Amino acid sequence: TWLPDQHLQFLTKMLEACKLNLGDVAIVNHAKKAVEIEPLKEQLRPSSVLLFGVEPVTIKLPLNFPQFKEQAFAGTSYLYTPALEILNQESEEGKLLKSKLWVCLRKLFKV
């Protein structure tokens, strides 16, 4: 499964707002093959991991935490949010979720 254009555009705008670009990140698709955090951390050494619609326990993180609550663990900061298709809506709910995400991203990336 590939990332639809409207969601890629949303991610790109979000990254730009955080003074980042697609070259600064790795997008890992969990749709076809399950992702586990330990091999991912060994390979990519991320300082931050954003989980869009993927619960922390799904990637075998040994802890669970609510959406929009940054969680530090073993040298990496995690942020769990609703899926991109839920965040990237023009509805009132979508706008509210985007504002919650922006508050978290500003804190996480110090912008």
Side-chain angles (χ1 to χ4, degrees):
T1 304
W2 52 276
L3 190 60
D5 282 345
Q6 73 266 27
H7 298 326
L8 183 59
Q9 289 173 4
F10 174 69
L11 277 178
T12 302
K13 287 179 186 173
M14 182 182 72
L15 289 170
E16 287 171 357
C18 295
K19 308 220 182 320
L20 300 168
N21 62 53
L22 287 174
D24 297 318
V25 301
I27 298 173
V28 179
N29 191 331
H30 188 76
K32 296 248 185 207
K33 184 175 186 258
V35 174
E36 292 184 15
I37 193 59
E38 284 309 315
L40 186 77
K41 280 185 71 171
E42 284 178 28
Q43 183 180 5
L44 300 175
R45 304 205 188 290
S47 57
S48 303
V49 174
L50 305 180
L51 302 167
F52 293 105
V54 177
E55 290 188 39
V57 294
T58 305
I59 62 167
K60 302 217 183 307
L61 259 174
L63 64 152
N64 208 359
F65 45 93
Q67 292 183 342
F68 301 111
K69 173 121 175 52
E70 181 185 343
Q71 180 68 52
F73 179 73
T76 302
S77 294
Y78 296 88
L79 181 62
Y80 166 45
T81 73
L84 288 173
E85 54 269 10
I86 295 170
L87 285 167
N88 195 20
Q89 296 180 65
E90 292 305 316
S91 65
E92 285 304 311
E93 179 192 16
K95 289 175 185 173
L96 176 63
L97 292 174
K98 282 181 211 150
S99 68
K100 284 181 166 184
L101 175 61
W102 178 235
V103 167
C104 295
L105 293 174
R106 284 178 49 199
K107 182 180 172 201
L108 184 64
F109 296 109
K110 295 168 183 45
V111 288

